[in-house]
């Protein structure tokens, strides 16, 4: 069976995902779209020559019986209501991050899914599908290097626009590390603390840039993440895992190494879409394949979305206090242990 998608939000990432479902991946088809900007939704149908209905809102799109799965790519504050409505209708959901903008909102989705009794939701934490992170996880899980003790990570963007806020350094940027790192080391966070180093002259006037976050886990692992969103030189994601018997790093992006004018050089990407292009393909292909084969998604869960929301809230609190802020999760429903 083909998994028939209804897309809510036809902005930048919505179009990217529609393009990959339509032209790159197999087993999925976009049959319905909606956007608060109806013209944008109509344009997408035309642009990708979709055989798809355009709906005035998410509720009417979800009610379409020809839609199996809802792809939520609207802006963050709208995600929670759409995901809850989809679960209510018993439809699968692939939701871009954030699952919800508050921990309470994410928890309401967890509760709705548990009540439904079967997994429906996958959150778009695509780094878990990046080849480099997958290799790192395999190495950690093999115990060949001993227990992980420390992680040193960096998330650098060349620049961000005026609309970027202090909080977005956590809930828009750091959120990817928040998700992938606890998955990588199979542990839960206990605290987060923000540190503000000397400010770059390129920082937006309302922003602290760069920032460092220190996350600690139940097992005592200490993780440092540098978030530097006006680093100028490129889009650069770094992760080094220090274990008892050795260290390992995320591989660099494949690129030619050139020698010219007495210089040895290699390329650094500038566009985040290019850095994780394979991971985006892989996560949605996995969503389609898992549902077709087993009747439920197997990628990042609503519980992972909840962990990200709680950790993100604590990170934003620490930006205000510059103190270590506790990360307290409610009891994990057994539903998410299988
Ligand atoms: P965007 O270009 O602003 O697109 C969002 C679209 O949703 C816009 O067309 C917006 O319309 C529309 N919209 C807003 N509220 C809506 C509603 N209630 N119902 C239907 N449509 C609505 O933003 P984007 O960059 O695509 O980001 C979308 C989401 O994906 C965000 O949550 C973002 O964090 C996430 N994202 C994730 C990644 C990743 O790496 N996983 C990367 C990029 C984005 P208007 O323009 O008229 O407001």
């Amino acid at each position: 069976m083909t998994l028939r998608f209804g897309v809510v939000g036809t902005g930048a990432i919505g179009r990217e995902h529609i393009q990959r479902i339509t032209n790159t991946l197999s087993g999925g088809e976009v049959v319905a779209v909606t956007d608060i900007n109806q013209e944008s939704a109509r344009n997408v149908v035309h642009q990708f020559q979709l055989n798809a209905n355009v709906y005035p809102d998410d509720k009417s799109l979800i009610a379409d019986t020809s839609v199996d799965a809802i792809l939520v790519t609207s802006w963050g504050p709208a995600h929670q209501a759409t995901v809850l409505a989809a679960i209510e209708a018993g439809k699968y959901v692939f939701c871009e991050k954030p699952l919800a903008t508050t921990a309470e909102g994410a928890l309401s989705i967890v509760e709705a899914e548990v009540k439904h009794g079967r997994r429906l939701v996958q959150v778009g934490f695509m780094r878990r599908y990046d080849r480099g992170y997958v290799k790192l996880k395999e190495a950690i899980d093999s115990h060949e290097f001993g227990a992980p003790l420390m992680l040193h990570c960096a998330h650098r963007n060349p620049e961000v626009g005026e609309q970027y806020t202090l909080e977005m350094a956590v809930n828009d940027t750091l959120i990817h590390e928040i998700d992938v790192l606890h998955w990588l080391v199979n542990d839960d966070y206990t605290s987060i603390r923000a540190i503000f180093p000397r400010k770059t002259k390129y920082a937006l006037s309302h922003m602290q840039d760069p920032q460092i976050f220190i996350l600690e886990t139940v097992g005592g692992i200490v993780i440092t993440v540098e978030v530097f969103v006006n680093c100028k030189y490129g889009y650069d994601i770094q992760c080094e895992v220090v274990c008892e018997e050795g260290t390992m790093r995320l591989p660099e992006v494949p690129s030619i190494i050139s020698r010219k004018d007495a210089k040895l050089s290699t390329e650094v990407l500038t566009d985040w879409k290019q850095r994780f292009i394979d991971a985006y393909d892989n996560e949605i292909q996995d969503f389609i394949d898992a549902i077709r084969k087993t009747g439920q998604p197997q990628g990042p869960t609503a519980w992972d979305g909840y962990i990200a929301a709680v950790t993100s809230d604590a990170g934003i609190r620490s930006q205000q206090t510059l103190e270590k802020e506790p990360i307290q999760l409610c009891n994990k429903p057994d539903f998410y242990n299988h």
Side-chain angles (χ1 to χ4, degrees):
M1 125 270 189
T2 299
L3 191 71
R4 297 164 302 178
F5 283 92
V7 180
V8 180
T10 53
I13 195 111
R15 281 168 196 248
E16 296 265 336
H17 288 337
I18 290 171
Q19 191 281 128
R20 57 175 47 89
I21 291 167
T22 308
N23 299 326
T24 310
L25 309 182
S26 60
E29 182 188 358
V30 175
V31 299
V33 294
T34 184
D35 193 285
I36 209 155
N37 175 348
Q38 287 279 284
E39 203 185 328
S40 159
R42 280 192 293 272
N43 285 345
V44 160
V45 171
H46 179 69
Q47 180 184 354
F48 296 105
Q49 299 180 331
L50 304 175
N51 184 14
N53 295 319
V54 177
Y55 284 100
D57 54 38
D58 57 351
K59 300 274 179 317
S60 49
L61 175 137
I62 291 167
D64 181 339
T65 52
S66 72
V67 170
D68 306 310
I70 314 301
L71 180 64
V72 183
T73 44
S74 54
W75 76 310
H79 292 184
Q80 182 187 341
T82 304
V83 176
L84 285 172
I87 295 173
E88 177 78 31
K91 305 235 164 159
Y92 298 109
V93 192
F94 183 97
C95 180
E96 262 309 335
K97 59 86 185 162
L99 179 62
T101 50
T102 62
E104 295 72 35
L107 190 57
S108 73
I109 292 172
V110 164
E111 287 165 352
E113 190 178 40
V114 170
K115 188 166 161 224
H116 177 77
R118 197 166 52 90
R119 265 203 73 187
L120 294 174
V121 179
Q122 176 164 330
V123 184
F125 288 128
M126 77 295 177
R127 287 203 194 176
R128 297 187 188 201
Y129 291 89
D130 174 72
R131 205 173 144 69
Y133 279 110
V134 169
K135 288 273 171 207
L136 273 186
K137 182 157 177 64
E138 283 170 5
I140 292 170
D141 289 350
S142 75
H143 304 295
E144 208 181 310
F145 292 76
L149 310 172
M150 297 175 282
L151 276 67
H152 306 298
C153 310
H155 188 145
R156 302 189 186 122
N157 295 63
E159 58 191 9
V160 290
E162 275 292 327
Q163 82 294 345
Y164 194 90
T165 61
L166 185 70
E167 294 76 18
M168 284 171 76
V170 176
N171 62 24
D172 206 53
T173 302
L174 180 70
I175 197 160
H176 285 293
E177 271 78 14
I178 289 175
D179 177 68
V180 81
L181 299 179
H182 79 82
W183 168 79
L184 204 57
V185 297
N186 305 303
D187 208 344
D188 280 326
Y189 303 124
T190 53
S191 68
I192 183 167
R193 181 182 169 205
I195 295 175
F196 291 169
R198 177 176 172 171
K199 200 165 158 172
T200 166
K201 66 180 176 187
Y202 297 112
L204 299 169
S205 55
H206 60 271
M207 274 290 293
Q208 168 62 42
D209 189 36
Q211 303 177 41
I212 291 175
F213 295 89
I214 303 176
L215 286 148
E216 292 179 63
T217 72
V218 174
I221 301 170
V222 175
I223 301 172
T224 56
V225 186
E226 170 201 313
V227 174
F228 188 8
V229 296
N230 283 286
C231 81
K232 293 296 160 196
Y233 73 85
Y235 181 74
D236 195 9
I237 302 299
Q238 299 286 335
C239 178
E240 181 184 26
V241 185
V242 180
C243 299
E244 290 166 314
E245 294 178 46
T247 73
M248 48 196 136
R249 295 188 78 96
L250 203 56
E252 294 295 337
V253 178
S255 154
I256 58 161
I257 299 168
S258 61
R259 289 170 167 81
K260 186 166 183 285
D261 298 334
K263 286 201 177 73
L264 181 67
S265 40
T266 181
E267 191 190 356
V268 177
L269 292 177
T270 52
D271 183 353
W272 56 266
K273 289 197 267 331
Q274 288 307 315
R275 171 64 182 83
F276 289 109
I277 192 159
D278 293 339
Y280 289 118
D281 286 349
N282 295 343
E283 65 172 353
I284 296 188
Q285 188 66 66
D286 182 58
F287 179 77
I288 295 170
D289 292 347
I291 290 170
R292 291 173 80 204
K293 281 192 198 119
T294 69
Q296 43 188 356
Q298 61 173 13
T301 64
W303 180 255
D304 294 313
Y306 166 72
I307 292 176
V310 173
T311 309
S312 181
D313 285 355
I316 290 170
R317 275 200 309 280
S318 184
Q319 285 179 315
Q320 304 305 323
T321 63
L322 296 179
E323 300 286 340
K324 188 197 260 196
E325 295 289 339
I327 295 168
Q328 280 159 332
L329 304 175
C330 64
N331 288 334
K332 184 176 181 181
D334 196 37
F335 180 87
Y336 293 104
N337 288 327
H338 305 295

